């Protein structure tokens, strides 16, 4: 929290420092992040198109995967273009209005929470498919799949309402320099002249509720999956069953590991630079890796991608 001066004026614009420490190599980092962003767009669009075009993938599991790919595109698009503008746009490229900053934080939190719930829904889907295969069609029908996906988006949208409302009630009287590449809660709280105790507590409780709720569903689902697999006598059958959820488990490990580190805390981050690195990982690197993980670890997706992009397949059409 910043001390308040008697001659303070309300901040209407913030300046995002971004990666100021790499100023001399900013073009290299610009090229690197631009390449990662474009790869994220291309990979996730490929997943969406392949699932939509290949009738073999028109199953609930891949409907969730399509939602996840759409979310990853928006998730990176909220922060990366503005970060890229900061590398090459001079001082103006780093500026963001007060309303724009809160909007970016709201959308970023909304999409992050939605991804948590979507990953939990995908874990439940794998649980039913492996532990209750005979009831899969009834428990994970198209109707229930659509309702579950809609619920993930709705609860994700509701998640940032209280934190953003409390953020909007804080006073910012200078300085207005955010030591980050997007409007995250921790660096914003460091600039406030108000008492941020209530805001920090609300952030902690909301983050904890989202992460614990979704991770509990995932843990219980995979606990039951492991128990079911251990009772299968054939090692080949066990490997075949587990291979259907290996990609999802890898994505969950990457995403939740960084989120628990970043957001289940009560105090302003002590090491901003380290937090930037972690933020890059879950906001840029992970969305780029997720489609690769699903395509490399899932034989059905890999086969569909091969059919979609093979010359013979297009020639046959």
């Amino acid at each position: 929290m910043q001390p308040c001066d008697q001659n303070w004026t309300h901040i209407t614009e913030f300046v995002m420092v971004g990666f100021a420490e790499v100023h001399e190599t900013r073009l290299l980092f610009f090229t690197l992040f631009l390449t990662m962003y474009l790869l994220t767009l291309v990979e996730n669009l490929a997943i969406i198109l392949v699932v939509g075009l290949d009738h073999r993938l028109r199953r609930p599991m891949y409907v969730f995967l399509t939602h996840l790919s759409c979310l990853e595109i928006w998730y990176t698009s909220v922060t990366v273009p503005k970060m890229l503008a900061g590398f090459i746009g001079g001082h103006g490229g780093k500026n963001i209005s007060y309303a724009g900053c809160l909007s970016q934080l709201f959308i970023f939190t909304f999409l992050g929470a939605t991804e948590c719930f979507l990953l939990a829904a995908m874990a439940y889907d794998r649980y039913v498919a492996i532990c209750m295969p005979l009831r899969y069609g009834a428990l994970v029908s198209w109707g229930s799949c659509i309702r579950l996906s809609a619920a993930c988006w709705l609860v994700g949208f509701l998640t940032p309402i209280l934190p953003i409302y409390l953020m909007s009630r804080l006073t910012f009287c200078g300085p207005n320099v955010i030591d980050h590449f997007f409007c995250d809660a921790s660096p914003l709280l460091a600039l406030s002249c108000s008492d941020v105790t209530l805001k920090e507590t609300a952030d902690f409780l909301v983050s904890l509720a989202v992460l614990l709720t979704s991770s509990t569903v995932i843990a219980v689902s995979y606990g039951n999956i492991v128990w079911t697999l251990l009772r299968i006598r054939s090692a080949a059958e066990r490997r075949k069953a587990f291979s259907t959820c290996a990609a999802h488990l890898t994505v969950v490990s990457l995403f939740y590991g960084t989120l628990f580190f970043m957001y289940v805390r009560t105090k302003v981050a002590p090491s901003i630079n380290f937090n930037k690195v972690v933020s890059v990982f879950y906001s840029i690197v992970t969305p780029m890796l997720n489609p690769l993980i699903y395509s490399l670890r899932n034989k059905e997706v890999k086969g569909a991608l091969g059919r979609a992009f093979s010359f013979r397949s297009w020639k046959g059409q």
Side-chain angles (χ1 to χ4, degrees):
M1 185 177 74
Q2 297 291 330
C4 191
D5 194 324
Q6 292 182 351
N7 298 320
W8 66 272
T9 56
H10 184 72
I11 296 298
T12 59
E13 187 177 66
F14 293 103
V15 178
M16 292 188 288
V17 171
F19 296 91
E21 58 274 12
V22 297
H23 180 75
E24 294 183 357
T25 56
R26 65 185 184 280
L27 291 180
L28 175 62
F29 277 86
F30 171 82
T31 304
L32 174 63
F33 287 130
L34 176 61
T35 301
M36 294 171 68
Y37 178 56
L38 294 177
L39 281 174
T40 300
L41 297 181
V42 171
E43 292 166 2
N44 283 287
L45 283 173
I47 294 290
I48 295 169
L49 290 174
V50 165
V51 172
L53 294 174
D54 197 313
H55 67 277
R56 300 174 184 84
L57 300 183
R58 291 174 187 173
R59 302 202 302 273
M61 172 183 175
Y62 298 108
V63 173
F64 290 128
L65 182 57
T66 302
H67 280 269
L68 185 63
S69 291
C70 289
L71 187 147
E72 300 283 27
I73 291 173
W74 297 338
Y75 194 56
T76 54
S77 297
V78 171
T79 59
V80 177
K82 186 63 179 176
M83 179 186 67
L84 294 175
F87 277 116
I88 62 172
H91 184 72
K94 298 180 180 180
N95 293 358
I96 186 169
S97 67
Y98 174 81
C101 189
L102 292 188
S103 298
Q104 186 186 57
L105 179 58
F106 181 94
I107 297 171
F108 188 80
T109 308
F110 154 48
L111 295 174
T114 302
E115 180 160 359
C116 289
F117 295 121
L118 275 176
L119 291 174
M122 295 171 77
Y124 171 75
D125 171 80
R126 291 299 84 208
Y127 157 70
V128 176
I130 294 173
C131 301
M132 296 182 284
L134 298 180
R135 299 181 61 192
Y136 182 78
L139 293 175
V140 193
S141 62
W142 279 105
S144 62
C145 179
I146 293 172
R147 288 192 294 271
L148 193 55
S149 298
C152 291
W153 287 98
L154 176 60
V155 178
F157 179 80
L158 296 176
T159 297
I161 290 179
L162 176 61
I164 297 301
Y165 170 75
L166 293 177
M167 183 70 81
S168 69
R169 305 297 296 174
L170 298 179
T171 301
F172 295 91
C173 51
N176 68 334
V177 178
I178 300 175
D179 194 2
H180 213 308
F181 62 89
F182 72 96
C183 290
D184 202 4
S186 184
L188 275 175
L189 291 180
L191 298 180
S192 176
C193 304
S194 307
D195 182 3
V196 298
T197 304
L198 178 61
K199 166 62 177 166
E200 287 180 331
T201 303
D203 283 354
F204 172 77
L205 293 177
V206 170
S207 300
L208 192 64
V210 171
L211 292 175
L212 282 185
T213 301
S214 55
S215 60
T216 298
V217 173
I218 293 170
V220 171
S221 297
Y222 275 104
N224 282 282
I225 288 172
V226 170
W227 178 250
T228 300
L229 294 180
L230 290 176
R231 292 187 292 173
I232 299 176
R233 295 182 178 180
S234 171
E237 288 297 319
R238 283 199 301 267
R239 285 194 298 270
K240 181 180 178 181
F242 186 74
S243 67
T244 63
C245 51
H248 176 261
L249 192 56
T250 304
V251 169
V252 166
S253 301
L254 288 172
F255 186 70
Y256 276 82
T258 52
L259 284 189
F260 268 109
F261 173 79
M262 283 296 294
Y263 292 112
V264 185
R265 299 173 304 183
T266 58
K267 297 297 180 182
V268 174
S271 177
I272 296 296
N273 287 333
F274 186 62
N275 285 342
K276 289 181 191 178
V277 174
V278 178
S279 298
V280 165
F281 191 82
Y282 72 76
S283 64
I284 302 175
V285 177
T286 300
M288 181 189 69
L289 292 179
N290 286 351
L292 294 176
I293 293 170
Y294 275 107
S295 61
L296 293 176
R297 301 297 297 271
N298 189 301
K299 292 182 179 180
E300 291 181 317
V301 174
K302 191 166 22 176
L305 285 169
R307 289 189 297 270
F309 292 101
S310 66
F311 175 78
R312 186 175 300 178
S313 175
W314 288 110
K315 185 177 179 181
Q317 294 179 2

